[in-house]
Amino acid sequence: MTEDEKLRADARANRGRILEVARQALTSDPGASLNQIAKAAGIGAGTLYRHFPNREALLAAVYHQEVQALVQLAPALLDTYSPLEALHHWCERFANAGSVKQGIADTLNAAVSVEDLQHTYRLLVDAVRVLMEACEQVDGIGKGHDPEAVLTLLSSTLRIRPGAHGKALTKRVLDLIILGLRPSPST
Amino acid sequence: MTEDEKLRADARANRGRILEVARQALTSDPGASLNQIAKAAGIGAGTLYRHFPNREALLAAVYHQEVQALVQLAPALLDTYSPLEALHHWCERFANAGSVKQGIADTLNAAVSVEDLQHTYRLLVDAVRVLMEACEQVDGIGKGHDPEAVLTLLSSTLRIRPGAHGKALTKRVLDLIILGLRPSPST
DNA sequence: ACCTGAACACCGTTCAAGT
DNA sequence: ACCTGAACACCGTTCAAGT
């Protein structure tokens, strides 16, 4: 019996609808208000706060889903592609993290304090670590680099504005990150 | 006669006091409200809005000062240190941008749309370019890297939370950025 | 046990009235 | 010209009252 199944039927349905509606609302407007979301979900404001104690908690839950997808993508890519190609693909997918880019960036920012976010954060760091370690046996990637530092660098792409210039800049930024992973001459 | 001197004496004094008070208030609390700032500056809310049409404009003005300091620091460092040392020092200073880190990050984010922010943004890109070009004649830094991409990577450090772990992470991130600037084996 | 929705304190922003 | 500060619409959050 999962945590979710402990809830009464109507409560479980509400929780799901809140997350679904919130996801859509925040996609079209990252500043959407909780009252708007509650109304769109057809529930009272108090119900929303019963499920998510504050705005940050709701955002964390929404973005956690997107992070889950990214985390699961890493081993899948390693199954299909060479390690270096997998790393490249994953970084691109990360940089274009759906329509919730800013939200993921905020999740990473806040990750130090909140319990739930720390877990999300560690999942991402581990995904990066798995990709990097697979690459260490391949030309072009050196050993001993820090996955957390790489994730921090990757997060800078989440703040890049959409558009043609942003797309080109994202590519240059990702290339520069990979360049940083080259093995040192001595090693 | 500068733009500032065109203002009536009281208006000029108010503008200065707003900026000074806002700087202090935002330093201790990045979410400080404009009404609070107006009150602390001893002026009406309308006066604040006469000088800065909205919250973003006030923040931009405050953070612009910090950016100016960073921009002027680049040539000064090149006068005192070797190019590579100057680049290192500047990156560290950038990563610890006073108490307005998050604010500078927001300025960089918003830089694409707003006129005034674009100017601020270009100043920073140029500062990075000057440092990088000076380093191109030095061991360890390759040619042809993109200053805007480097600035984007640097901006990821502005989101790191303070504390012991954050300090160590910042160092690793900066090291990784510099590693990305190594010349390619072929060149 | 869970939900509703009016209410609270506060926010960014405006504007009639003053000097 | 410039300033004041009450007022507006809205925000996140709470809580008495319902089922």
Side-chain angles (χ1 to χ4, degrees), chain B residues 111-169:
Chain B
V112 182
S113 52
V114 188
E115 168 81 21
D116 191 37
L117 293 183
Q118 283 200 5
H119 180 231
T120 302
Y121 184 69
R122 290 210 192 89
L123 289 178
L124 273 177
V125 173
D126 285 341
V128 173
R129 189 196 321 279
V130 166
L131 287 163
M132 286 174 57
E133 286 179 352
C135 287
E136 283 178 0
Q137 297 136 23
V138 178
D139 278 351
I141 301 294
K143 289 190 180 186
H145 291 300
D146 175 32
E148 191 180 7
V150 173
L151 180 63
T152 302
L153 289 179
L154 280 171
S155 75
S156 67
T157 64
L158 299 178
R159 300 281 176 180
I160 296 175
R161 292 286 184 91
H165 177 264
K167 216 174 154 189
L169 177 59

Side-chain angles (χ1 to χ4, degrees), chain A residues 109-110 112-113 145-146 148-150 152-153 155-156 159-161 165 169 172-173 176-177 179-180 182-184, chain B residues 109-110 112-113 145-146 148-150 152-153 155-156 159-161 165 169 172-173 176-177 179-180 182-184:
Chain A
N109 293 157
V112 181
S113 51
H145 291 300
D146 175 33
E148 192 180 6
V150 173
T152 303
L153 289 179
S155 75
S156 67
R159 300 281 175 181
I160 296 175
R161 291 285 184 90
H165 177 263
L169 177 59
R172 279 177 279 144
V173 168
L176 201 47
I177 294 174
L179 279 180
R182 286 172 293 176
S184 15
Chain B
N109 295 158
V112 182
S113 52
H145 291 300
D146 175 32
E148 191 180 7
V150 173
T152 302
L153 289 179
S155 75
S156 67
R159 300 281 176 180
I160 296 175
R161 292 286 184 91
H165 177 264
L169 177 59
R172 281 177 278 144
V173 168
L176 201 46
I177 294 175
L179 279 180
R182 286 171 294 177
S184 16

Side-chain angles (χ1 to χ4, degrees), chain A residues 117-158:
Chain A
L117 292 182
Q118 283 199 5
H119 180 231
T120 302
Y121 183 68
R122 290 210 192 89
L123 289 177
L124 273 177
V125 173
D126 286 341
V128 173
R129 189 196 322 276
V130 166
L131 287 163
M132 285 173 57
E133 287 179 352
C135 286
E136 282 177 1
Q137 298 137 21
V138 177
D139 279 351
I141 302 294
K143 288 190 180 187
H145 291 300
D146 175 33
E148 192 180 6
V150 173
L151 180 63
T152 303
L153 289 179
L154 280 171
S155 75
S156 67
T157 64
L158 299 177

